[in-house]
């Protein structure tokens, strides 16, 4: 295992709601020694850096500033949050085409100054953007990862903990596949303090049935849309997820996270980014874990991968 670095540097590209919230979370948690904010609208990055810096005396010490792509040099983690938001009436493919072009220019600028570190992609559609950045950058697969279904998985754990009346820290389970409509819960590996979820269904005292499982899965899938409907955008949950992944990377934790990487061969899936439980450390994804999925789960996972691939095939040559 590598030694944890005494000094750490992170860049966030894009200071919209998600990027700025992630920066604020990192400042609160003192995640890195140095944090640079980069945005095509430099005044926005300057304003966010000033605002967060004014709170630092109550939070701790770190170097936090607005910069440009030259500051990518020596970054341990480069977080990509920049991109257009999906507008009413716009399809997922419309958004993909728009953000793939933005991501292409970003990748060119990143690689002019890149000398090491992990690229963490958050921009949507995240599975598509991660695949393209990995190809354009020429970096090894595990060095370019996505936030994937990390947020979906903690939503899953939260909703399940609420339904069962237990601490979410004792609920273990994953959402896998696409970060989108075809995602699926890995029910066969879901447990509460070692007790498989199916034991709760079999025990009448818990009043937990297959219908509850379906509702939780649906609520996880639609959570983002519900939040957007109510407040216009989602950014706090993903900001915490970004910070957690960055901490995993910087501290070389070998923690299992459902980040996304290019999958080749596992479960019969080829050349597409989906999210699966993976060991993450300072080098990025060390290993994608193989689970004994049920036949139904494996079929659903392949369907999810094909949904991503269908969009990917439309934008590969942009």
């Amino acid at each position: 295992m590598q030694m944890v670095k005494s000094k750490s540097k992170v860049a966030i590209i894009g200071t919209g709601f998600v990027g700025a919230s992630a920066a604020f979370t990192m400042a609160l948690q003192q995640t890195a020694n140095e944090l640079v904010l980069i945005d095509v609208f430099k005044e926005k990055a300057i304003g966010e850096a000033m605002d967060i810096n004014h709170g630092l005396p109550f939070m701790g010490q770190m170097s936090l500033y607005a910069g440009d792509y030259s500051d990518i040099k020596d970054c341990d983690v480069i977080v990509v949050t920049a991109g257009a938001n999906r507008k009413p009436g716009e399809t997922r493919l419309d958004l993909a085409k728009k953000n793939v072009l933005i991501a292409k220019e970003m990748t060119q600028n990143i690689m002019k100054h890149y000398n090491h570190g992990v690229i963490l992609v958050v921009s949507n559609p995240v599975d598509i953007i991660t695949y393209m950045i990995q190809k354009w950058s020429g970096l090894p697969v595990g060095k370019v990862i996505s936030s994937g279904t990390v947020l979906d998985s903690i939503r899953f754990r939260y909703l399940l903990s609420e339904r069962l009346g237990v601490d979410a820290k004792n609920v273990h389970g994953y959402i896998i596949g696409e970060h989108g409509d075809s995602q699926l819960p890995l029910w066969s590996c879901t447990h509460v303090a070692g007790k498989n979820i199916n034991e709760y269904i079999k025990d009448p005292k818990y009043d937990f049935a297959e219908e509850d499982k379906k509702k939780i899965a649906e609520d996880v899938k639609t959570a983002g849309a519900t939040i957007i409907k109510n407040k216009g955008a989602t950014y706090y949950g993903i900001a915490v997820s970004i910070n957690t992944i960055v901490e995993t990377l910087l501290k070389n934790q070998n923690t299992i996270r459902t980040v996304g990487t290019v999958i080749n061969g596992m479960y019969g899936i080829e050349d597409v980014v989906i999210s699966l439980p993976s060991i993450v450390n300072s080098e990025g994804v060390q290993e994608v874990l193989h689970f004994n999925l049920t036949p139904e789960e494996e079929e659903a996972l392949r369907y999810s991968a094909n949904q991503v691939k269908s969009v990917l095939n439309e934008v590969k040559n942009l």
Side-chain angles (χ1 to χ4, degrees):
M1 183 183 291
Q2 290 190 339
M3 295 293 291
V4 177
K5 291 182 65 173
S6 58
K7 289 190 175 181
S8 51
K9 181 180 179 182
V10 176
I12 297 177
I13 303 173
T15 56
F17 282 126
V18 171
S21 298
F24 183 55
T25 305
M26 289 184 204
L28 280 170
Q29 296 295 316
Q30 295 287 286
T31 305
N33 303 111
E34 186 176 352
L35 178 59
V36 55
L37 308 183
I38 302 168
D39 200 290
V40 65
F41 302 109
K42 187 153 188 182
E43 293 79 7
K44 180 71 163 66
I46 291 170
E48 295 293 355
M50 285 180 65
D51 201 8
I52 297 171
N53 273 317
H54 294 165
L56 276 179
F58 286 162
M59 294 189 284
Q61 291 183 330
M62 66 190 301
S63 173
L64 194 157
Y65 57 95
D68 55 37
Y69 281 101
S70 66
D71 294 299
I72 293 294
K73 184 182 178 184
D74 298 329
C75 279
D76 301 294
V77 185
I78 300 146
V79 183
V80 177
T81 71
N85 294 320
R86 190 164 164 180
K87 295 178 180 177
E90 203 172 41
T91 67
R92 189 162 173 264
L93 181 57
D94 292 333
L95 180 66
K97 287 179 177 177
K98 193 159 42 177
N99 280 346
V100 161
L101 293 174
I102 294 170
K104 188 171 189 177
E105 185 178 356
M106 272 194 294
T107 306
Q108 291 167 346
N109 288 320
I110 289 168
M111 296 313 294
K112 287 176 187 175
H113 306 282
Y114 175 94
N115 57 354
H116 84 287
V118 175
I119 298 177
L120 171 61
V121 183
V122 184
S123 307
N124 276 319
V126 73
D127 306 305
I128 308 299
I129 303 298
T130 303
Y131 179 94
M132 299 306 294
I133 289 179
Q134 194 276 316
K135 296 299 181 186
W136 291 324
S137 69
L139 294 172
V141 165
K143 283 283 192 183
V144 181
I145 69 176
S146 79
S147 55
T149 56
V150 171
L151 175 56
D152 306 283
S153 294
I154 59 173
R155 284 170 172 161
F156 177 58
R157 291 172 57 200
Y158 168 77
L159 291 171
L160 198 49
S161 74
E162 288 286 292
R163 178 63 184 81
L164 296 175
V166 297
D167 188 340
K169 290 193 289 293
N170 297 122
V171 177
H172 301 277
Y174 305 111
I175 298 292
I176 60 172
E178 174 194 21
H179 174 62
D181 291 342
S182 66
Q183 65 180 224
L184 61 140
L186 195 52
W187 285 113
S188 63
C189 300
T190 301
H191 63 88
V192 180
K195 186 173 183 176
N196 189 278
I197 195 66
N198 290 324
E199 293 183 52
Y200 285 82
I201 293 174
K202 292 172 186 174
D203 192 333
K205 78 176 180 181
Y206 292 108
D207 190 27
F208 187 77
E210 287 292 336
E211 290 72 25
D212 294 285
K213 287 169 64 176
K214 290 177 184 175
K215 184 177 188 313
I216 287 171
E218 186 63 24
D219 287 349
V220 170
K221 191 185 299 182
T222 59
T226 303
I227 293 168
I228 290 168
K229 179 183 175 183
N230 283 297
K231 60 173 275 190
T234 68
Y235 37 90
Y236 296 139
I238 188 60
V240 172
S241 300
I242 292 167
N243 180 73
T244 301
I245 299 167
V246 170
E247 185 179 34
T248 296
L249 293 163
L250 295 179
K251 293 184 177 179
N252 198 34
Q253 290 177 332
N254 286 311
T255 304
I256 296 167
R257 307 279 180 210
T258 51
V259 295
T261 48
V262 178
I263 301 300
N264 279 304
M266 190 172 282
Y267 307 113
I269 295 165
E270 295 285 347
D271 197 34
V272 67
V273 169
I274 56 169
S275 297
L276 292 167
S278 305
I279 299 173
V280 181
N281 59 26
S282 60
E283 293 300 310
V285 168
Q286 185 72 26
E287 179 187 353
V288 181
L289 299 179
H290 188 280
F291 286 75
N292 292 320
L293 307 185
T294 66
E296 294 78 15
E297 288 170 340
E298 196 163 326
E299 183 182 353
L301 182 62
R302 281 195 288 269
Y303 172 80
S304 186
N306 286 334
Q307 292 298 106
V308 176
K309 192 170 279 191
S310 66
V311 177
L312 188 58
N313 288 337
E314 296 286 338
V315 300
K316 265 187 178 180
N317 298 317
L318 289 177

